[in-house]
mmCIF file of all heavy atoms in Angstrom:
data_model
loop_
_atom_site.group_PDB
_atom_site.id
_atom_site.type_symbol
_atom_site.label_atom_id
_atom_site.label_comp_id
_atom_site.label_asym_id
_atom_site.label_seq_id
_atom_site.Cartn_x
_atom_site.Cartn_y
_atom_site.Cartn_z
ATOM 1 N N CYS A 1 118.642 95.140 49.602
ATOM 2 C CA CYS A 1 119.964 94.842 49.059
ATOM 3 C C CYS A 1 119.947 95.007 47.550
ATOM 4 O O CYS A 1 118.906 94.868 46.901
ATOM 5 C CB CYS A 1 120.405 93.426 49.427
ATOM 6 S SG CYS A 1 120.728 93.177 51.194
ATOM 7 N N ILE A 2 121.131 95.263 46.994
ATOM 8 C CA ILE A 2 121.264 95.490 45.565
ATOM 9 C C ILE A 2 122.623 94.992 45.100
ATOM 10 O O ILE A 2 123.598 95.032 45.845
ATOM 11 C CB ILE A 2 121.065 96.990 45.234
ATOM 12 C CG1 ILE A 2 120.950 97.227 43.736
ATOM 13 C CG2 ILE A 2 122.185 97.827 45.847
ATOM 14 C CD1 ILE A 2 120.477 98.640 43.387
ATOM 15 N N SER A 3 122.688 94.515 43.852
ATOM 16 C CA SER A 3 123.946 94.059 43.281
ATOM 17 C C SER A 3 124.707 95.220 42.667
ATOM 18 O O SER A 3 124.125 96.252 42.298
ATOM 19 C CB SER A 3 123.708 92.978 42.236
ATOM 20 O OG SER A 3 122.989 93.489 41.122
ATOM 21 N N SER A 4 126.020 95.043 42.539
ATOM 22 C CA SER A 4 126.866 96.088 41.974
ATOM 23 C C SER A 4 126.831 96.132 40.459
ATOM 24 O O SER A 4 127.098 97.182 39.871
ATOM 25 C CB SER A 4 128.315 95.903 42.429
ATOM 26 O OG SER A 4 128.833 94.666 41.968
ATOM 27 N N SER A 5 126.525 95.009 39.821
ATOM 28 C CA SER A 5 126.648 94.886 38.372
ATOM 29 C C SER A 5 125.332 94.914 37.609
ATOM 30 O O SER A 5 125.346 94.982 36.385
ATOM 31 C CB SER A 5 127.387 93.601 38.021
ATOM 32 O OG SER A 5 126.697 92.471 38.513
ATOM 33 N N ASP A 6 124.222 94.865 38.297
ATOM 34 C CA ASP A 6 122.929 94.957 37.652
ATOM 35 C C ASP A 6 121.939 95.615 38.598
ATOM 36 O O ASP A 6 122.339 96.213 39.597
ATOM 37 C CB ASP A 6 122.443 93.593 37.145
ATOM 38 C CG ASP A 6 122.295 92.564 38.256
ATOM 39 O OD1 ASP A 6 122.085 92.946 39.425
ATOM 40 O OD2 ASP A 6 122.404 91.358 37.955
ATOM 41 N N GLU A 7 120.672 95.486 38.275
ATOM 42 C CA GLU A 7 119.647 96.127 39.085
ATOM 43 C C GLU A 7 118.850 95.123 39.905
ATOM 44 O O GLU A 7 117.709 95.401 40.278
ATOM 45 C CB GLU A 7 118.716 96.949 38.205
ATOM 46 C CG GLU A 7 119.414 98.109 37.530
ATOM 47 C CD GLU A 7 118.481 98.999 36.746
ATOM 48 O OE1 GLU A 7 117.294 98.631 36.583
ATOM 49 O OE2 GLU A 7 118.931 100.066 36.294
ATOM 50 N N SER A 8 119.451 93.986 40.194
ATOM 51 C CA SER A 8 118.809 93.000 41.049
ATOM 52 C C SER A 8 118.694 93.554 42.458
ATOM 53 O O SER A 8 119.689 94.002 43.040
ATOM 54 C CB SER A 8 119.618 91.697 41.055
ATOM 55 O OG SER A 8 119.032 90.741 41.910
ATOM 56 N N THR A 9 117.495 93.522 42.991
ATOM 57 C CA THR A 9 117.243 94.101 44.308
ATOM 58 C C THR A 9 116.370 93.196 45.157
ATOM 59 O O THR A 9 115.682 92.305 44.658
ATOM 60 C CB THR A 9 116.558 95.472 44.205
ATOM 61 O OG1 THR A 9 115.318 95.335 43.499
ATOM 62 C CG2 THR A 9 117.442 96.479 43.484
ATOM 63 N N TYR A 10 116.419 93.449 46.444
ATOM 64 C CA TYR A 10 115.551 92.806 47.415
ATOM 65 C C TYR A 10 114.987 93.877 48.336
ATOM 66 O O TYR A 10 115.703 94.797 48.742
ATOM 67 C CB TYR A 10 116.330 91.777 48.250
ATOM 68 C CG TYR A 10 115.599 91.317 49.489
ATOM 69 C CD1 TYR A 10 114.799 90.178 49.464
ATOM 70 C CD2 TYR A 10 115.695 92.030 50.682
ATOM 71 C CE1 TYR A 10 114.120 89.767 50.593
ATOM 72 C CE2 TYR A 10 115.017 91.616 51.821
ATOM 73 C CZ TYR A 10 114.226 90.481 51.770
ATOM 74 O OH TYR A 10 113.557 90.078 52.892
ATOM 75 N N TYR A 11 113.714 93.744 48.650
ATOM 76 C CA TYR A 11 113.089 94.582 49.666
ATOM 77 C C TYR A 11 112.326 93.711 50.640
ATOM 78 O O TYR A 11 111.607 92.793 50.238
ATOM 79 C CB TYR A 11 112.107 95.569 49.047
ATOM 80 C CG TYR A 11 112.752 96.655 48.227
ATOM 81 C CD1 TYR A 11 112.879 96.535 46.847
ATOM 82 C CD2 TYR A 11 113.222 97.817 48.836
ATOM 83 C CE1 TYR A 11 113.464 97.537 46.095
ATOM 84 C CE2 TYR A 11 113.803 98.822 48.089
ATOM 85 C CZ TYR A 11 113.919 98.676 46.718
ATOM 86 O OH TYR A 11 114.496 99.689 45.980
ATOM 87 N N ALA A 12 112.478 93.987 51.907
ATOM 88 C CA ALA A 12 111.647 93.332 52.906
ATOM 89 C C ALA A 12 110.188 93.693 52.663
ATOM 90 O O ALA A 12 109.871 94.811 52.245
ATOM 91 C CB ALA A 12 112.072 93.752 54.308
ATOM 92 N N ASP A 13 109.305 92.737 52.926
ATOM 93 C CA ASP A 13 107.883 92.994 52.706
ATOM 94 C C ASP A 13 107.399 94.230 53.456
ATOM 95 O O ASP A 13 106.533 94.962 52.974
ATOM 96 C CB ASP A 13 107.056 91.782 53.135
ATOM 97 C CG ASP A 13 107.207 90.601 52.201
ATOM 98 O OD1 ASP A 13 107.663 90.789 51.055
ATOM 99 O OD2 ASP A 13 106.860 89.477 52.614
ATOM 100 N N SER A 14 107.956 94.472 54.616
ATOM 101 C CA SER A 14 107.506 95.573 55.452
ATOM 102 C C SER A 14 107.832 96.948 54.889
ATOM 103 O O SER A 14 107.254 97.944 55.326
ATOM 104 C CB SER A 14 108.100 95.446 56.858
ATOM 105 O OG SER A 14 109.511 95.465 56.812
ATOM 106 N N VAL A 15 108.750 97.020 53.914
ATOM 107 C CA VAL A 15 109.155 98.322 53.376
ATOM 108 C C VAL A 15 108.842 98.484 51.899
ATOM 109 O O VAL A 15 109.060 99.573 51.348
ATOM 110 C CB VAL A 15 110.651 98.591 53.620
ATOM 111 C CG1 VAL A 15 111.002 98.393 55.086
ATOM 112 C CG2 VAL A 15 111.527 97.717 52.730
ATOM 113 N N LYS A 16 108.340 97.452 51.255
ATOM 114 C CA LYS A 16 108.028 97.545 49.829
ATOM 115 C C LYS A 16 107.039 98.670 49.564
ATOM 116 O O LYS A 16 106.048 98.830 50.263
ATOM 117 C CB LYS A 16 107.459 96.219 49.321
ATOM 118 C CG LYS A 16 108.486 95.120 49.165
ATOM 119 C CD LYS A 16 107.857 93.842 48.636
ATOM 120 C CE LYS A 16 108.892 92.748 48.469
ATOM 121 N NZ LYS A 16 108.298 91.470 48.011
ATOM 122 N N GLY A 17 107.340 99.447 48.548
ATOM 123 C CA GLY A 17 106.496 100.566 48.184
ATOM 124 C C GLY A 17 106.795 101.835 48.938
ATOM 125 O O GLY A 17 106.285 102.900 48.566
ATOM 126 N N ARG A 18 107.608 101.758 49.989
ATOM 127 C CA ARG A 18 107.946 102.930 50.788
ATOM 128 C C ARG A 18 109.428 103.294 50.705
ATOM 129 O O ARG A 18 109.770 104.472 50.748
ATOM 130 C CB ARG A 18 107.574 102.707 52.255
ATOM 131 C CG ARG A 18 106.087 102.437 52.475
ATOM 132 C CD ARG A 18 105.747 102.425 53.959
ATOM 133 N NE ARG A 18 106.427 101.340 54.670
ATOM 134 C CZ ARG A 18 107.290 101.524 55.671
ATOM 135 N NH1 ARG A 18 107.589 102.750 56.082
ATOM 136 N NH2 ARG A 18 107.849 100.483 56.271
ATOM 137 N N PHE A 19 110.296 102.283 50.616
ATOM 138 C CA PHE A 19 111.735 102.504 50.583
ATOM 139 C C PHE A 19 112.262 102.208 49.181
ATOM 140 O O PHE A 19 111.754 101.314 48.492
ATOM 141 C CB PHE A 19 112.465 101.589 51.564
ATOM 142 C CG PHE A 19 112.213 101.868 53.020
ATOM 143 C CD1 PHE A 19 111.246 102.765 53.443
ATOM 144 C CD2 PHE A 19 112.975 101.215 53.976
ATOM 145 C CE1 PHE A 19 111.024 103.010 54.794
ATOM 146 C CE2 PHE A 19 112.771 101.447 55.324
ATOM 147 C CZ PHE A 19 111.795 102.347 55.732
ATOM 148 N N THR A 20 113.297 102.928 48.783
ATOM 149 C CA THR A 20 113.951 102.702 47.504
ATOM 150 C C THR A 20 115.462 102.692 47.700
ATOM 151 O O THR A 20 116.019 103.628 48.278
ATOM 152 C CB THR A 20 113.582 103.781 46.479
ATOM 153 O OG1 THR A 20 112.157 103.835 46.322
ATOM 154 C CG2 THR A 20 114.219 103.464 45.127
ATOM 155 N N ILE A 21 116.113 101.631 47.212
ATOM 156 C CA ILE A 21 117.561 101.536 47.294
ATOM 157 C C ILE A 21 118.164 101.911 45.944
ATOM 158 O O ILE A 21 117.598 101.614 44.886
ATOM 159 C CB ILE A 21 118.011 100.120 47.721
ATOM 160 C CG1 ILE A 21 119.496 100.104 48.098
ATOM 161 C CG2 ILE A 21 117.710 99.091 46.638
ATOM 162 C CD1 ILE A 21 119.945 98.811 48.767
ATOM 163 N N SER A 22 119.307 102.569 45.981
ATOM 164 C CA SER A 22 120.012 102.917 44.757
ATOM 165 C C SER A 22 121.508 102.955 45.040
ATOM 166 O O SER A 22 121.936 103.067 46.193
ATOM 167 C CB SER A 22 119.529 104.247 44.183
ATOM 168 O OG SER A 22 119.744 105.311 45.097
ATOM 169 N N ARG A 23 122.296 102.866 43.990
ATOM 170 C CA ARG A 23 123.748 102.875 44.123
ATOM 171 C C ARG A 23 124.383 103.718 43.034
ATOM 172 O O ARG A 23 123.807 103.925 41.967
ATOM 173 C CB ARG A 23 124.306 101.454 44.067
ATOM 174 C CG ARG A 23 123.894 100.704 42.808
ATOM 175 C CD ARG A 23 124.557 99.344 42.707
ATOM 176 N NE ARG A 23 123.974 98.580 41.610
ATOM 177 C CZ ARG A 23 124.285 98.750 40.330
ATOM 178 N NH1 ARG A 23 125.181 99.676 39.977
ATOM 179 N NH2 ARG A 23 123.703 98.016 39.400
ATOM 180 N N ASP A 24 125.560 104.190 43.346
ATOM 181 C CA ASP A 24 126.376 104.926 42.397
ATOM 182 C C ASP A 24 127.751 104.271 42.431
ATOM 183 O O ASP A 24 128.550 104.547 43.326
ATOM 184 C CB ASP A 24 126.453 106.401 42.761
ATOM 185 C CG ASP A 24 127.179 107.227 41.722
ATOM 186 O OD1 ASP A 24 128.041 106.697 41.009
ATOM 187 O OD2 ASP A 24 126.878 108.443 41.629
ATOM 188 N N ASN A 25 128.018 103.389 41.466
ATOM 189 C CA ASN A 25 129.273 102.647 41.465
ATOM 190 C C ASN A 25 130.486 103.569 41.346
ATOM 191 O O ASN A 25 131.523 103.318 41.964
ATOM 192 C CB ASN A 25 129.288 101.622 40.332
ATOM 193 C CG ASN A 25 128.372 100.449 40.602
ATOM 194 O OD1 ASN A 25 128.047 100.139 41.745
ATOM 195 N ND2 ASN A 25 127.952 99.767 39.540
ATOM 196 N N ALA A 26 130.365 104.605 40.544
ATOM 197 C CA ALA A 26 131.482 105.523 40.354
ATOM 198 C C ALA A 26 131.857 106.233 41.646
ATOM 199 O O ALA A 26 133.037 106.479 41.912
ATOM 200 C CB ALA A 26 131.161 106.537 39.260
ATOM 201 N N LYS A 27 130.863 106.551 42.447
ATOM 202 C CA LYS A 27 131.105 107.258 43.698
ATOM 203 C C LYS A 27 131.130 106.342 44.914
ATOM 204 O O LYS A 27 131.356 106.809 46.032
ATOM 205 C CB LYS A 27 130.037 108.339 43.897
ATOM 206 C CG LYS A 27 130.052 109.420 42.834
ATOM 207 C CD LYS A 27 128.990 110.475 43.106
ATOM 208 C CE LYS A 27 129.030 111.582 42.067
ATOM 209 N NZ LYS A 27 128.000 112.622 42.325
ATOM 210 N N ASN A 28 130.890 105.047 44.702
ATOM 211 C CA ASN A 28 130.866 104.078 45.796
ATOM 212 C C ASN A 28 129.923 104.517 46.910
ATOM 213 O O ASN A 28 130.277 104.488 48.093
ATOM 214 C CB ASN A 28 132.273 103.839 46.339
ATOM 215 C CG ASN A 28 133.205 103.244 45.305
ATOM 216 O OD1 ASN A 28 134.249 103.818 44.991
ATOM 217 N ND2 ASN A 28 132.839 102.087 44.771
ATOM 218 N N THR A 29 128.741 104.916 46.515
ATOM 219 C CA THR A 29 127.754 105.417 47.451
ATOM 220 C C THR A 29 126.459 104.620 47.321
ATOM 221 O O THR A 29 125.995 104.348 46.211
ATOM 222 C CB THR A 29 127.473 106.904 47.211
ATOM 223 O OG1 THR A 29 128.691 107.646 47.360
ATOM 224 C CG2 THR A 29 126.445 107.427 48.205
ATOM 225 N N LEU A 30 125.893 104.272 48.453
ATOM 226 C CA LEU A 30 124.618 103.576 48.526
ATOM 227 C C LEU A 30 123.613 104.478 49.228
ATOM 228 O O LEU A 30 123.933 105.106 50.236
ATOM 229 C CB LEU A 30 124.768 102.270 49.306
ATOM 230 C CG LEU A 30 123.520 101.399 49.441
ATOM 231 C CD1 LEU A 30 123.209 100.709 48.123
ATOM 232 C CD2 LEU A 30 123.719 100.369 50.549
ATOM 233 N N VAL A 31 122.404 104.528 48.692
ATOM 234 C CA VAL A 31 121.366 105.396 49.233
ATOM 235 C C VAL A 31 120.117 104.587 49.528
ATOM 236 O O VAL A 31 119.750 103.677 48.778
ATOM 237 C CB VAL A 31 121.040 106.536 48.252
ATOM 238 C CG1 VAL A 31 119.817 107.325 48.711
ATOM 239 C CG2 VAL A 31 122.238 107.459 48.095
ATOM 240 N N LEU A 32 119.470 104.910 50.630
ATOM 241 C CA LEU A 32 118.155 104.370 50.945
ATOM 242 C C LEU A 32 117.208 105.540 51.163
ATOM 243 O O LEU A 32 117.334 106.269 52.149
ATOM 244 C CB LEU A 32 118.199 103.478 52.187
ATOM 245 C CG LEU A 32 116.884 102.769 52.535
ATOM 246 C CD1 LEU A 32 116.553 101.707 51.477
ATOM 247 C CD2 LEU A 32 116.951 102.130 53.921
ATOM 248 N N GLN A 33 116.292 105.718 50.237
ATOM 249 C CA GLN A 33 115.257 106.726 50.373
ATOM 250 C C GLN A 33 114.078 106.100 51.101
ATOM 251 O O GLN A 33 113.489 105.135 50.616
ATOM 252 C CB GLN A 33 114.829 107.260 49.007
ATOM 253 C CG GLN A 33 113.726 108.303 49.062
ATOM 254 C CD GLN A 33 114.161 109.574 49.744
ATOM 255 O OE1 GLN A 33 115.223 110.108 49.446
ATOM 256 N NE2 GLN A 33 113.349 110.062 50.671
ATOM 257 N N MET A 34 113.720 106.655 52.239
ATOM 258 C CA MET A 34 112.666 106.109 53.080
ATOM 259 C C MET A 34 111.524 107.108 53.143
ATOM 260 O O MET A 34 111.691 108.221 53.646
ATOM 261 C CB MET A 34 113.187 105.809 54.485
ATOM 262 C CG MET A 34 114.407 104.900 54.502
ATOM 263 S SD MET A 34 114.863 104.378 56.178
ATOM 264 C CE MET A 34 115.336 105.958 56.883
ATOM 265 N N ASN A 35 110.378 106.708 52.634
ATOM 266 C CA ASN A 35 109.187 107.541 52.645
ATOM 267 C C ASN A 35 108.095 106.883 53.468
ATOM 268 O O ASN A 35 108.138 105.693 53.760
ATOM 269 C CB ASN A 35 108.689 107.776 51.214
ATOM 270 C CG ASN A 35 109.686 108.503 50.346
ATOM 271 O OD1 ASN A 35 110.416 109.375 50.807
ATOM 272 N ND2 ASN A 35 109.715 108.154 49.062
ATOM 273 N N SER A 36 107.098 107.666 53.824
ATOM 274 C CA SER A 36 105.955 107.166 54.590
ATOM 275 C C SER A 36 106.398 106.378 55.809
ATOM 276 O O SER A 36 105.914 105.277 56.082
ATOM 277 C CB SER A 36 105.052 106.312 53.693
ATOM 278 O OG SER A 36 104.590 107.051 52.578
ATOM 279 N N LEU A 37 107.311 106.947 56.559
ATOM 280 C CA LEU A 37 107.903 106.234 57.688
ATOM 281 C C LEU A 37 106.880 105.957 58.779
ATOM 282 O O LEU A 37 105.978 106.764 59.034
ATOM 283 C CB LEU A 37 109.076 107.028 58.247
ATOM 284 C CG LEU A 37 110.348 106.922 57.404
ATOM 285 C CD1 LEU A 37 111.305 108.054 57.725
ATOM 286 C CD2 LEU A 37 111.018 105.565 57.627
ATOM 287 N N LYS A 38 107.058 104.806 59.409
ATOM 288 C CA LYS A 38 106.192 104.345 60.483
ATOM 289 C C LYS A 38 106.998 104.171 61.762
ATOM 290 O O LYS A 38 108.213 103.968 61.706
ATOM 291 C CB LYS A 38 105.558 103.000 60.109
ATOM 292 C CG LYS A 38 104.785 102.999 58.799
ATOM 293 C CD LYS A 38 104.303 101.589 58.475
ATOM 294 C CE LYS A 38 103.531 101.560 57.176
ATOM 295 N NZ LYS A 38 103.075 100.184 56.840
ATOM 296 N N PRO A 39 106.347 104.224 62.925
ATOM 297 C CA PRO A 39 107.080 103.958 64.168
ATOM 298 C C PRO A 39 107.814 102.625 64.159
ATOM 299 O O PRO A 39 108.887 102.514 64.765
ATOM 300 C CB PRO A 39 105.978 103.982 65.230
ATOM 301 C CG PRO A 39 104.950 104.898 64.663
ATOM 302 C CD PRO A 39 104.962 104.645 63.177
ATOM 303 N N GLU A 40 107.273 101.635 63.460
ATOM 304 C CA GLU A 40 107.898 100.323 63.381
ATOM 305 C C GLU A 40 109.218 100.337 62.618
ATOM 306 O O GLU A 40 109.965 99.350 62.661
ATOM 307 C CB GLU A 40 106.938 99.323 62.734
ATOM 308 C CG GLU A 40 105.680 99.031 63.544
ATOM 309 C CD GLU A 40 104.629 100.123 63.459
ATOM 310 O OE1 GLU A 40 104.651 100.907 62.478
ATOM 311 O OE2 GLU A 40 103.783 100.202 64.362
ATOM 312 N N ASP A 41 109.509 101.415 61.918
ATOM 313 C CA ASP A 41 110.779 101.546 61.217
ATOM 314 C C ASP A 41 111.910 102.000 62.133
ATOM 315 O O ASP A 41 113.066 102.054 61.705
ATOM 316 C CB ASP A 41 110.654 102.529 60.056
ATOM 317 C CG ASP A 41 109.682 102.067 58.992
ATOM 318 O OD1 ASP A 41 109.714 100.869 58.632
ATOM 319 O OD2 ASP A 41 108.894 102.901 58.510
ATOM 320 N N THR A 42 111.596 102.353 63.361
ATOM 321 C CA THR A 42 112.611 102.811 64.305
ATOM 322 C C THR A 42 113.635 101.711 64.559
ATOM 323 O O THR A 42 113.278 100.594 64.949
ATOM 324 C CB THR A 42 111.963 103.243 65.620
ATOM 325 O OG1 THR A 42 111.114 104.368 65.381
ATOM 326 C CG2 THR A 42 113.018 103.624 66.647
#
């Protein structure tokens, strides 16, 4: 999760270091980049 007004974020322990969240307020778009995917991410 991420806030709209700053860069405060939360990551589940299971995805830290592998997933990255980002936002574009102007475009109202949220992105989750998922790397090093595991079967448990299904």
Side-chain angles (χ1 to χ4, degrees):
C1 292
I2 190 169
S3 65
S4 62
S5 60
D6 60 26
E7 295 185 351
S8 178
T9 59
Y10 166 93
Y11 291 96
D13 289 342
S14 60
V15 308
K16 286 181 179 177
R18 300 188 297 119
F19 292 9
T20 303
I21 192 169
S22 61
R23 56 175 171 79
D24 186 333
N25 288 336
K27 297 181 178 180
N28 297 122
T29 301
L30 182 74
V31 172
L32 185 68
Q33 179 65 48
M34 305 188 295
N35 298 325
S36 302
L37 283 161
K38 304 175 180 179
E40 294 77 22
D41 297 317
T42 296

